[in-house]
Amino acid sequence: PAGVALYKQVVALLQGLDAVEREIAELQQVERGTLRFASSRTIGAGVVRRVLQAYERAHPEVDISYSIMKSSQSAKTEVLEDRAEFALVGRVGPGWPLEVKPLFQEAMVVAVAPDHPLAAEPRPDVGTLARHVLLLREPPVLGHKRILGMLEEAGVRPQICELDSTEAVKSEAVAGRGVAVLPRTTVADEIAAGSLRACDVTGFRPQRTVYLTWLSRMPLSPVAESFVRLVRGLGEGDEPLDRSA
């Protein structure tokens, strides 16, 4: 009983100190401290990688503690166990004991090798995909269910090849062995280098949602808020979602 009483008092004290530190930082308009966050692997490979270097240049006074986890569930655990202040994930489930808000919807790109037959199609539509092998992440990653639902609704039944990593999907596509469907940020480098080509397929516009999740009892620190704003800005070219996050 004595330990329980002490624990409650200490938790309240620490939360009060955190609140004071945040208020002082805001008053001084100085973002200092540690950016502690986690992300799922697919978010880390695309979204975070493209933002983190810019953030480090803009905020050299901020220390960064960042963990790339194998799944959204693992990233959520980092927040629950206080190893991360927030997490960026691509999937959320019912009953999550965390605050969850969507940041933006990122377009998923139909990408093929430059010499793939689809690249030669002048105006491909969703029906064209029926003639090709579609390379997808294994379910339920990267909107797998949503993509199959879109194809079924259009009456298109291509051969599906499911792979266990984003890199494997890209490698198969670069080798010309199929049509990859991946988030825009994860194939940006390959498209810029010319090893993959993005195809505008009429009637097929899959997207994935990037979510922010954190402990509801703890407002985000100024350091975290500045990083989240930068992440949200990455989606300005895609469809924006809740701007109050």
Side-chain angles (χ1 to χ4, degrees), residues 67-176:
S67 300
I68 300 179
M69 310 306 293
K70 65 180 180 180
S71 66
S72 294
Q73 182 72 23
S74 299
K76 177 196 76 171
T77 301
E78 293 295 290
V79 178
L80 285 173
E81 297 184 357
D82 200 30
R83 289 188 292 270
E85 182 181 354
F86 66 92
L88 300 172
V89 298
R91 291 184 294 117
V92 296
W96 270 39
L98 294 171
E99 194 78 20
V100 176
K101 283 193 176 182
L103 287 181
F104 64 91
Q105 284 191 329
E106 180 181 12
M108 297 187 72
V109 175
V110 176
V112 297
D115 57 354
H116 189 278
L118 185 63
E121 293 276 353
R123 302 182 69 178
D125 59 23
V126 65
T128 309
L129 298 177
R131 301 196 296 269
H132 304 287
V133 177
L134 214 60
L135 305 170
L136 303 178
R137 285 294 309 274
E138 79 288 2
V141 182
L142 289 184
H144 185 281
K145 183 178 179 180
R146 186 183 305 179
I147 291 170
L148 294 188
M150 293 177 67
L151 294 171
E152 184 176 351
E153 186 176 342
V156 178
R157 294 177 175 79
Q159 180 182 343
I160 303 294
C161 177
E162 297 170 351
L163 299 162
D164 62 0
S165 74
T166 302
E167 290 304 315
V169 174
K170 289 195 289 187
S171 294
E172 289 294 289
V174 169

